Amino acid sequence: MNALVITKAILEQHKLSDDEYKKILEILGREPNWTELGMFSAMWSEHCSYKSSRIHLKKLPTTGPRVVQGPGENAGAVDIGDGLCAVFKMESHNHPSFIEPYQGAATGVGGILRDIFTMGARPIALLNSLRFGGLDNANTRHLLKGVVSGIAGYGNCMGVPTVGGEIVFNDIYALNPLVNVFCLGIAKKDKIFLGKAAGIGNPVIYFGSKTGRDGIHGATMASDSFDEQAAQKRPTVQVGDPFTEKLLLEACLELMAGDCLVGIQDMGAAGLTSSACEMASREGTGVELELADVPRREPGMTPYEIMLSESQERMLMVAKAGREDEVIKICRKWDLDVAVIGRVTDTGKVVLKENGQVVAEIPAKALADEGPRYDRPSSPPAYQEMLQALNHDALPDVKDANAALLALLDSPTIASKRWVYEQYDHMVRTNTMVRPGSDAAVLRVKGTNKALALSVDCNGRYCLLNPYEGAKIAIAECARNLACSGAEPIGVTDCLNFGNPQRPEVMWQFVLAIEGLKDACEALNVPIVSGNVSLYNETNDLSIYPTPMIGMVGLIEDADCAVTQWFKGRGDAIILLGQTREDLGGTEYLKVLHHREQGSPPLLSLDTEKAVQACTIRLIREGLVLSAHDCSDGGLAVALTECCISGSAQRLGAVVQLPLDGLRRDALLFGESQSRILLSVKAELAERVLDVAWDAGVHAARIGTVGGDRLVIQVDGDQRASGCNIDLELTALYDHWGSAIPRALGQD
Amino acid sequence: MPYAMGRKLVGIMKIGVVVFPGSNCDHDCQYIFKDVLGQYVEMIWHKETLLAGLDAIVLPGGFSYGDYLRTGAIARFSPVMGAVKAFANKGGLVIGICNGFQILLEAGLLPGVMLRNTSLNFICKDVYVKVENAATRFTNQCESGQVLKIPIAHADGNYYTDPVTLGGIKANAQVIFRYCTADGKVTPDANPNGSLDNIAGIMNADGNVLGMMPHPERSAEAILGNEDGRLIFQSMLSSFGKPELQSKLIGV
């Protein structure tokens, strides 16, 4: 081992504090060498150790009758019956995507796919949640194009459909875009594989791509804030090869079909270091690895580089002793590099050798589980009260509702995302029943009568204005999206994107958001089974809006019952479930028309939410509903527009009357009151549907009728100018909504 | 060696679906023929060199060899392609879908080449194609001029060939599908990728090898909202005098 003098500069470079370094000295009882220092740095990074978030994450509800695997493994798993599990997780690749959008996004997809198939599940769906700055910024356009091509390039090649997602454009993300990718796979319940190094003497086998010098210290990079020098970090971004990953997927599933495999984990963040120490730590064993046997892309790589490389498409597996040849044969069949690089030991240590010489020796648990934990100080930002203060009287009510609606449809956040999802193969594997563009994607589960509904959601602006309420709404809205397809929520994964946790106001946002997630999940009775935390989303000292992204999975017992959001036939009755209040705070309307991101987010009663969702699911299951659509960004007017024009088969107009009931006109049309769902039903069933709703304690009203080639919304009880009504041709609505993004990209 | 060899499979078609490294519609094709249409399906690893005992070969969609170099350019050197050629030359039925079509072009089993889509983007969406020749082993269950809604999903579907070859395949009724509007008009607007003459699918002169960019296996089940693509598989079955069997599936 080398005689290394650990200086302050070296610790700084490794993002280790003095206290953390002292702890390392205690654990080892000596000074670490260069390799060991690097390993601690990676494993104790925020990205790998969750050191600022872990004590709070413990509060989240993670159990339930369907939960087969909760947080802590590569992904979570919930029972969907028929001996099958849905295995899913969401992960961020924000920092790399900002530095290099194509590869950053592509390897984000690659990483989450590996998390899923490592568990023994065949991935069947990808979704993504993206946040960018405004499209008037040339760099944002570059980032959007790069990220979309990166997701497409990787997912399409893998043959895993990208079936849905959401994108929000807001200047706050201009220098810190968010790229969160969700993946779901299906596994047999009794064939779930875990990342454990069990069985003393069992071989540790490396397979996949060779190890190169790319992505070294990616985990540490992802745990740091950015400034103008960000581009210099480009070499820390990995380069993806979806073709190799496809081979890796098929090889893994073939290996898992047999019985030679004991444990398996992908090499993601912190590469070989994390997979080796986490597998050993989970099982309470140790591993001894010979680095000279690791397949390498180039000669002369040091142990430090080998252990910290984040080269993509690599796996670490523990197989049964004596079955090495079977493993090697299958890997070679799929043209993958494969090598036995070590054994499971009973020492509890990760011991690394290079040509027989020990080059590192660290207790596995110390690396994987005994990293620092911080209860960081939290306090509300000084500007919070100012943010929440919104004087309605100072806001003029809408004068020209037609113009306001068109302006909202022009907002890229609300506009059709067709330009994006047409670049994603969203149909491969032939399960996609409801394609992108409805509230939730719906996939049938082959070999069963069931379908799964998937949705990702989060309104970061709500979370900025009130982190607790915003997080609650993220869960509620995601579940509402599922309910609109007829699905009952069965599991959640989260991807918590926040700023710098060393700022008390960011920790305040984080802690409150966790409370909100907890309360909403408990009320809706849905567990969080996996997740990811992405902190330090700040550039030039400016933090992003707190964005706790939610991915939710719902189950539809009878696939034939699934419904979509668009209107189906002339003469059908339009029914609104839920009540409209004066909820203008934090709305897209306020941002687009009044250039304000202010106020309190809409009020959410979890009891009401639960009742509305249960009622919707029941009506859908009874076959009474033809379409169901959640009212969210842009309120009732935008939701009605989407019901009219988002269907691929036909566009259908509507005539709607809304009572003003003492509300402001803009709140009625564009306010974002929660717990509202628009249904369309056969006219003759309308009374029955209303009765079912009222009996369930859900506010329901017939507000109009489907038909014609215009959207007409008449506001009753308003004696003021007729400008408060909406009356627009569907073609005009579609022209704005359908082409806003290509137009902004100059590709109209 | 194919498992089908020497097995008594009476009354059903024996289909081989070739699996190249990077194929990703292989399972979808297997599902249609086996689970939906009740036929015998065998997955053929690209290193196989013998294809006896099979009635038809499917070259499925995907990214064989990662689409590196050029779509289909590496796959054509796969050991199995020698056997596919021999099978086709003996009159065996071969259908190449998407990447399978690209491979058939590269392998010289069909004339022409594929260029990048004019948008330079991958495009995944429903398109309409007009059946230009319904008197084939792949389209006999369609009406001539019938419009089918079938999705595409590709970045390189811009068919191109020289004028002489184009004249030849048109004169010989080898152009089987052309991109069109919902009501059957073959217009530039209906062309999703810049394909020459709106060509979406062509056949060889002998009528036993078809290549098409749209994915009929994605539009062959009611539960997915569209069964137009099923006509192509039913045509193949019909050309062998084999009936479609009762599906074993729930919900189909």
Side-chain angles (χ1 to χ4, degrees):
Chain A
M1 301 212 187
N2 53 350
L4 176 77
V5 182
I6 309 273
T7 62
K8 266 216 176 300
I10 288 174
L11 288 180
E12 170 69 14
Q13 195 188 337
H14 284 83
K15 300 283 163 209
L16 288 165
S17 70
D18 288 345
D19 285 342
E20 286 167 356
Y21 184 61
K22 270 186 208 141
K23 198 167 169 192
I24 292 172
L25 294 179
E26 275 170 37
I27 288 166
L28 295 179
R30 59 178 166 81
E31 292 219 322
N33 64 30
W34 188 242
T35 304
E36 291 166 337
L37 188 72
M39 291 166 73
F40 273 109
S41 161
M43 289 308 297
W44 287 12
S45 69
E46 189 68 59
H47 188 80
C48 289
S49 74
Y50 296 85
K51 56 188 168 191
S52 304
S53 59
R54 197 170 286 216
I55 62 161
H56 303 289
L57 296 175
K58 277 189 197 149
K59 298 173 203 158
L60 294 173
T62 58
T63 55
R66 288 186 185 273
V67 177
V68 174
Q69 178 64 54
E73 270 289 341
N74 289 300
V78 293
D79 193 339
I80 59 166
D82 296 299
L84 300 175
C85 275
V87 177
F88 56 93
K89 191 182 182 188
M90 194 173 194
E91 240 182 30
S92 62
H93 235 211
N94 307 335
H95 292 78
S97 301
F98 178 52
I99 300 174
E100 209 305 286
Y102 184 98
Q103 291 298 344
T107 53
V109 174
I112 193 70
L113 281 163
R114 282 195 300 283
D115 280 334
I116 301 307
F117 67 75
T118 302
M119 301 281 292
R122 178 175 283 282
I124 64 161
L126 288 162
L127 289 90
N128 52 71
S129 280
L130 311 178
R131 296 291 179 275
F132 296 100
L135 283 175
D136 48 350
N137 176 320
N139 190 50
T140 293
R141 296 195 293 273
H142 157 74
L143 290 173
L144 173 67
K145 288 179 192 172
V147 164
V148 170
S149 336
I151 291 171
Y154 210 101
N156 296 353
C157 182
M158 283 295 291
V160 180
T162 301
V163 296
E166 44 115 50
I167 312 182
V168 171
F169 300 90
N170 188 306
D171 287 339
I172 197 73
Y173 302 103
L175 294 176
N176 198 123
L178 302 184
V179 175
N180 291 185
V181 190
F182 168 101
C183 182
L184 177 137
I186 299 288
K188 289 191 178 140
K189 193 181 167 186
D190 56 1
K191 276 285 222 179
I192 299 260
F193 288 85
L194 301 178
K196 52 178 190 177
I200 311 302
N202 277 340
V204 177
I205 302 176
Y206 169 115
F207 67 113
S209 288
K210 291 181 170 67
T211 296
R213 285 185 165 116
D214 53 334
I216 291 174
H217 273 311
T220 316
M221 173 272 286
S223 307
D224 201 2
S225 305
F226 275 3
D227 54 26
E228 290 83 0
Q229 311 301 314
Q232 293 176 5
K233 299 188 180 179
R234 193 162 294 143
T236 60
V237 179
Q238 313 84 342
V239 175
D241 175 8
F243 173 58
T244 301
E245 177 121 323
K246 169 71 173 159
L247 303 180
L248 197 60
L249 160 68
E250 299 302 336
C252 277
L253 294 181
E254 193 170 328
L255 282 163
M256 289 162 169
D259 67 345
C260 56
L261 214 154
V262 175
I264 181 164
Q265 179 154 343
D266 84 296
M267 292 187 222
L272 186 52
T273 299
S274 66
S275 49
C277 74
E278 286 176 5
M279 287 181 80
S281 175
R282 284 196 194 102
E283 194 63 21
T285 54
V287 289
E288 187 175 307
L289 306 181
E290 173 51 72
L291 299 184
D293 293 333
V294 171
R296 274 159 294 173
R297 218 182 285 156
E298 50 193 316
M301 287 183 71
T302 63
Y304 182 96
E305 290 169 328
I306 293 169
M307 291 310 290
L308 293 175
S309 160
E310 290 188 12
S311 291
Q312 297 289 290
E313 294 95 25
R314 301 179 302 157
M315 287 277 183
L316 197 65
M317 148 182 38
V318 171
K320 289 181 183 164
R323 308 285 294 274
E324 291 87 340
D325 289 349
E326 281 171 59
V327 171
I328 290 167
K329 195 175 159 206
I330 290 174
C331 291
R332 296 235 165 103
K333 172 187 164 188
W334 290 98
D335 296 326
L336 296 168
D337 273 289
V338 55
V340 176
I341 61 165
R343 297 275 155 190
V344 178
T345 66
D346 60 0
T347 61
K349 287 180 177 176
V350 175
V351 177
L352 306 177
K353 291 181 174 173
E354 192 180 36
N355 300 312
Q357 289 278 77
V358 173
V359 293
E361 187 172 351
I362 308 176
K365 272 213 181 322
L367 270 179
D369 296 323
E370 289 166 8
R373 298 272 183 280
Y374 295 120
D375 186 0
R376 297 198 187 274
S378 79
S379 61
Y383 53 77
Q384 196 68 25
E385 274 183 36
M386 202 177 73
L387 270 178
Q388 289 181 342
L390 176 69
N391 179 6
H392 285 205
D393 297 337
L395 287 177
D397 201 344
V398 64
K399 296 252 169 12
D400 182 346
N402 283 335
L405 176 57
L406 293 177
L408 281 167
L409 297 178
D410 276 334
S411 160
T413 297
I414 285 178
S416 166
K417 308 300 183 296
R418 194 166 56 101
W419 180 87
V420 174
Y421 64 72
E422 275 189 1
Q423 297 185 51
Y424 303 147
D425 188 339
H426 46 266
M427 303 180 217
V428 63
R429 299 210 67 76
T430 61
N431 297 316
T432 315
M433 293 172 58
V434 178
R435 299 175 187 178
S438 196
D439 280 323
V442 179
L443 292 99
R444 55 115 170 246
V445 182
K446 278 180 183 155
T448 76
N449 212 2
K450 296 179 170 124
L452 293 173
L454 312 174
S455 173
V456 287
D457 220 316
C458 176
N459 186 320
R461 185 160 55 230
Y462 291 174
C463 295
L464 171 77
L465 300 174
N466 185 329
Y468 173 78
E469 291 293 332
K472 253 172 66 183
I473 290 174
I475 293 284
E477 185 171 345
C478 228
R480 203 182 310 136
N481 288 336
L482 301 182
C484 286
S485 64
E488 179 194 349
I490 57 171
V492 173
T493 180
D494 58 26
C495 191
L496 309 175
N497 307 274
F498 286 80
N500 178 348
Q502 297 180 44
R503 295 182 192 278
E505 64 271 25
V506 169
M507 273 321 286
W508 177 80
Q509 293 170 334
F510 186 82
V511 172
L512 281 183
I514 293 282
E515 293 292 337
L517 296 181
K518 169 180 176 285
D519 288 354
C521 284
E522 283 175 355
L524 299 176
N525 201 18
V526 53
I528 296 181
V529 296
S530 59
N532 171 240
V533 180
S534 171
L535 301 175
Y536 295 96
N537 287 291
E538 74 166 22
T539 300
N540 295 336
D541 297 335
L542 183 65
S543 283
I544 57 159
Y545 289 172
T547 315
M549 222 77 90
I550 298 303
M552 202 178 290
V553 179
L555 183 63
I556 305 175
E557 291 285 348
D558 178 359
D560 289 333
C561 287
V563 300
T564 49
Q565 70 179 27
W566 40 87
F567 291 143
K568 300 298 183 300
R570 282 176 187 81
D572 294 340
I574 303 169
I575 289 173
L576 175 65
L577 300 184
Q579 273 178 297
T580 305
R581 303 168 205 278
E582 196 143 293
D583 286 314
L584 283 173
T587 57
E588 190 70 10
Y589 166 79
L590 212 55
K591 174 174 187 274
V592 172
L593 277 300
H594 294 278
H595 312 291
R596 286 172 191 241
E597 302 190 60
Q598 247 187 325
S600 285
L603 194 73
L604 171 70
S605 151
L606 286 167
D607 288 336
T608 306
E609 183 69 47
K610 209 174 163 177
V612 168
Q613 291 187 21
C615 176
T616 303
I617 294 170
R618 182 180 156 196
L619 289 167
I620 290 175
R621 291 192 177 169
E622 287 180 13
L624 299 172
V625 176
L626 296 167
S627 74
H629 186 27
D630 162 40
C631 295
S632 63
D633 296 354
L636 202 46
V638 166
L640 281 164
T641 306
E642 288 166 345
C643 290
C644 292
I645 62 173
S646 62
S648 60
Q650 58 179 346
R651 292 173 205 156
L652 284 166
V655 178
V656 171
Q657 291 89 31
L658 297 174
L660 196 56
D661 282 348
L663 289 176
R664 289 169 62 104
R665 288 170 288 164
D666 51 7
L668 176 66
L669 292 169
F670 308 116
E672 296 176 7
S673 293
Q674 295 296 300
S675 314
R676 292 183 302 166
I677 291 176
L678 277 169
L679 306 177
S680 72
V681 307
K682 284 271 170 228
E684 60 270 25
L685 293 173
E687 283 305 316
R688 194 167 143 207
V689 168
L690 291 173
D691 286 346
V692 171
W694 283 108
D695 286 350
V698 171
H699 193 285
R702 178 171 177 174
I703 60 167
T705 304
V706 177
D709 55 4
R710 309 177 74 80
L711 171 63
V712 179
I713 305 177
Q714 292 156 346
V715 178
D716 293 344
D718 187 5
Q719 303 308 316
R720 282 170 282 183
S722 64
C724 66
N725 291 333
I726 284 172
D727 186 355
L728 287 163
E729 284 186 8
L730 296 186
T731 46
L733 294 167
Y734 190 83
D735 283 348
H736 284 261
W737 178 78
S739 63
I741 289 179
R743 206 168 51 233
L745 291 172
Q747 296 185 359
D748 192 16
Chain B
M1 181 178 301
Y3 187 59
M5 250 186 100
R7 292 187 76 201
K8 283 186 187 153
L9 295 163
V10 184
I12 56 173
M13 251 179 109
K14 287 166 280 183
I15 316 269
V17 176
V18 177
V19 183
F20 297 99
S23 291
N24 64 31
C25 302
D26 46 341
H27 293 146
D28 302 350
C29 292
Q30 177 188 36
Y31 187 79
I32 285 296
F33 277 109
K34 178 167 168 275
D35 298 290
V36 178
L37 299 172
Q39 308 300 304
Y40 174 82
V41 177
E42 190 165 308
M43 306 308 273
I44 310 284
W45 186 239
H46 68 114
K47 288 183 178 161
E48 296 280 353
T49 51
L50 195 64
L51 294 174
L54 294 168
D55 296 325
I57 299 290
V58 181
L59 302 187
F63 288 66
S64 58
Y65 298 91
D67 272 0
Y68 294 140
L69 185 59
R70 192 173 64 242
T71 57
I74 302 177
R76 82 172 174 105
F77 293 110
S78 249
V80 76
M81 284 310 292
V84 170
K85 276 188 187 173
F87 180 81
N89 290 338
K90 280 191 285 180
L93 211 54
V94 178
I95 180 171
I97 300 167
C98 198
N99 190 228
F101 185 12
Q102 294 161 340
I103 295 168
L104 289 172
L105 294 174
E106 289 287 336
L109 282 164
L110 290 172
V113 294
M114 283 298 172
L115 308 176
R116 293 285 298 193
N117 298 344
T118 42
S119 70
L120 300 182
N121 284 336
F122 189 96
I123 305 169
C124 177
K125 65 175 184 183
D126 280 329
V127 297
Y128 294 96
V129 294
K130 186 176 178 186
V131 179
E132 295 288 352
N133 179 352
T136 78
R137 297 171 75 183
F138 303 96
T139 51
N140 55 61
Q141 297 300 299
C142 308
E143 303 289 326
S144 182
Q146 187 174 350
V147 175
L148 306 178
K149 184 164 90 171
I150 306 181
I152 54 166
H154 60 248
D156 304 78
N158 181 354
Y159 179 80
Y160 183 76
T161 192
D162 62 88
V164 177
T165 308
L166 178 65
I169 59 173
K170 280 166 84 170
N172 207 15
Q174 286 171 247
V175 175
I176 308 303
F177 302 113
R178 293 170 82 203
Y179 298 111
C180 66
T181 59
D183 53 358
K185 295 195 181 68
V186 178
T187 66
D189 278 354
N191 185 340
N193 52 27
S195 212
L196 187 67
D197 224 30
N198 281 38
I199 286 174
I202 59 170
M203 196 174 68
N204 66 346
D206 291 337
N208 63 320
V209 178
L210 173 81
M212 62 188 297
M213 287 315 290
H215 285 271
E217 78 279 12
R218 297 184 181 186
S219 54
E221 297 175 77
I223 194 165
L224 302 181
N226 180 0
E227 295 184 276
D228 286 5
R230 193 161 175 156
L231 290 170
I232 289 159
F233 304 117
Q234 285 168 331
S235 297
M236 291 171 70
L237 260 58
S238 161
S239 79
F240 270 83
K242 310 282 188 195
E244 174 182 339
L245 295 184
Q246 186 62 42
S247 161
K248 285 177 281 183
L249 291 167
I250 317 162
V252 173

